[in-house]
């Protein structure tokens, strides 16, 4: 079973409160999401391996650590995932970015992939799938399935807020995927919104409502 990591650093929790607040305007919402994404990137990379190299300081030669040549890939799910992308790239500027676009078929209610563009060496990379809201888990599961079909094996999921239903669904479908969230909320309502949540992440990021 993949682990669920709640990134409960005080700075993340503080900023998340402003993100939740209905009075927060689009500009401030986007800035807070960007900042939380950077802070979460710090947590999600906690276990990436280091190697020791020799470096010459102004005083002496010494051994010191650098991130070993591990290659990372960031996979925002369109469109709300884009709101967290730049924040993660601030800490991981060498990561390559792939995009996955999904919409929900109104008849079957199943996610349908309408766009995918990935780095050519995606299967060699450790991937972080990014989506602010993990609600039913449908999009996350479909995106991860799509990546696995293309040979990807090392995948983590990063969300601002998750519903227990979505976490359970992803853990069931993809037990090898660890999920990092800033908050685990209470439940999904009858409209598929996370409660208490933050409303529609895409609309709040881009001012479309
Ligand atoms: N997507 C959102 O943007 N918000 C929710 O609460 C659930 C899914």
């Amino acid at each position: 079973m993949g682990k669920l990591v709640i990134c409960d650093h005080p700075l993340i929790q503080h900023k998340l409160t402003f993100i939740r607040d209905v009075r927060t305007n689009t500009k401030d919402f986007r800035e807070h999401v960007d900042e939380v994404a950077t802070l979460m990137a710090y947590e999600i990379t906690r276990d990436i391996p280091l190697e020791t190299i020799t470096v010459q300081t102004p005083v002496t030669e010494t051994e010191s650590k650098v991130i070993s040549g591990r290659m990372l890939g960031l996979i925002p799910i369109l469109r709300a995932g884009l709101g967290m992308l730049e924040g993660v790239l601030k800490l991981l500027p060498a990561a390559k970015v792939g995009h996955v676009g999904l919409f929900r078929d109104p008849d079957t209610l199943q996610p349908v992939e309408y766009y995918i563009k990935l780095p050519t060496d995606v299967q060699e990379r450790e991937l972080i799938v990014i989506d602010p809201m993990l609600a039913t888990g449908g999009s996350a599961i479909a995106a991860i399935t799509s990546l696995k079909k293309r040979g990807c094996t090392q995948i983590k999921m990063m969300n601002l807020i998750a519903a227990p239903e979505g976490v359970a669904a992803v853990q069931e479908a993809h037990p090898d995927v660890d999920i990092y969230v800033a908050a685990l909320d209470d439940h999904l309502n009858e409209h598929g919104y996370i409660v208490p949540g933050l409303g529609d992440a895409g609309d709040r990021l881009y001012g479309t409502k």
Side-chain angles (χ1 to χ4, degrees):
M1 176 71 70
K3 63 181 176 185
L4 172 67
V5 179
I6 299 178
C7 303
D8 58 359
H9 190 286
L11 284 173
I12 295 178
Q13 296 306 310
H14 176 81
K15 291 173 192 299
L16 187 60
T17 299
F18 290 97
I19 291 170
R20 289 188 188 278
D21 191 331
V22 69
R23 297 169 301 177
T24 300
N25 66 31
T26 304
K27 171 181 172 288
D28 292 343
F29 184 91
R30 217 170 22 233
E31 284 175 7
H32 286 308
V33 169
D34 179 74
E35 288 169 0
V36 169
T38 305
L39 295 167
M40 288 186 73
Y42 179 82
E43 296 282 352
I44 207 166
T45 51
R46 192 173 276 285
D47 61 356
I48 57 175
L50 294 169
E51 60 184 79
T52 304
I53 61 163
T54 305
V55 66
Q56 178 72 46
T57 78
V59 180
T60 185
E61 190 175 277
T62 187
E63 310 245 283
S64 196
K65 313 260 191 223
V66 290
I67 291 169
S68 71
R70 169 110 16 145
M71 301 199 298
L72 297 173
L74 308 178
I75 316 289
I77 300 181
L78 302 177
R79 81 184 146 145
L82 293 177
M84 297 176 77
L85 175 65
E86 294 300 324
V88 179
L89 278 171
K90 271 181 210 146
L91 285 196
L92 304 172
K96 293 272 193 309
V97 180
H99 295 85
V100 180
L102 299 158
F103 70 88
R104 197 201 280 227
D105 183 299
D107 298 324
T108 65
L109 301 182
Q110 293 305 309
V112 179
E113 189 176 285
Y114 66 87
Y115 183 79
I116 184 155
K117 183 78 181 174
L118 301 172
T120 49
D121 56 357
V122 71
Q123 63 287 344
E124 290 159 34
R125 292 179 178 268
E126 187 172 312
L127 303 180
I128 304 174
V129 176
I130 303 172
D131 200 358
M133 308 303 273
L134 180 56
T136 62
S139 303
I141 291 169
I144 295 166
T145 301
S146 192
L147 293 169
K148 286 186 175 174
K149 271 191 202 143
R150 289 166 172 83
C152 304
T153 55
Q154 298 184 80
I155 304 173
K156 290 175 176 170
M157 182 85 219
M158 179 182 191
N159 311 104
L160 272 187
I161 299 179
E165 296 89 330
V167 171
V170 172
Q171 286 179 332
E172 160 113 36
H174 296 295
D176 54 318
V177 173
D178 293 338
I179 304 170
Y180 290 75
V181 302
L184 179 64
D185 273 10
D186 199 53
H187 65 280
L188 286 179
N189 70 14
E190 62 279 20
H191 305 294
Y193 280 96
I194 298 177
V195 181
L198 52 73
D200 186 298
D203 283 342
R204 294 201 61 198
L205 278 164
Y206 301 113
T208 43
K209 202 167 176 200

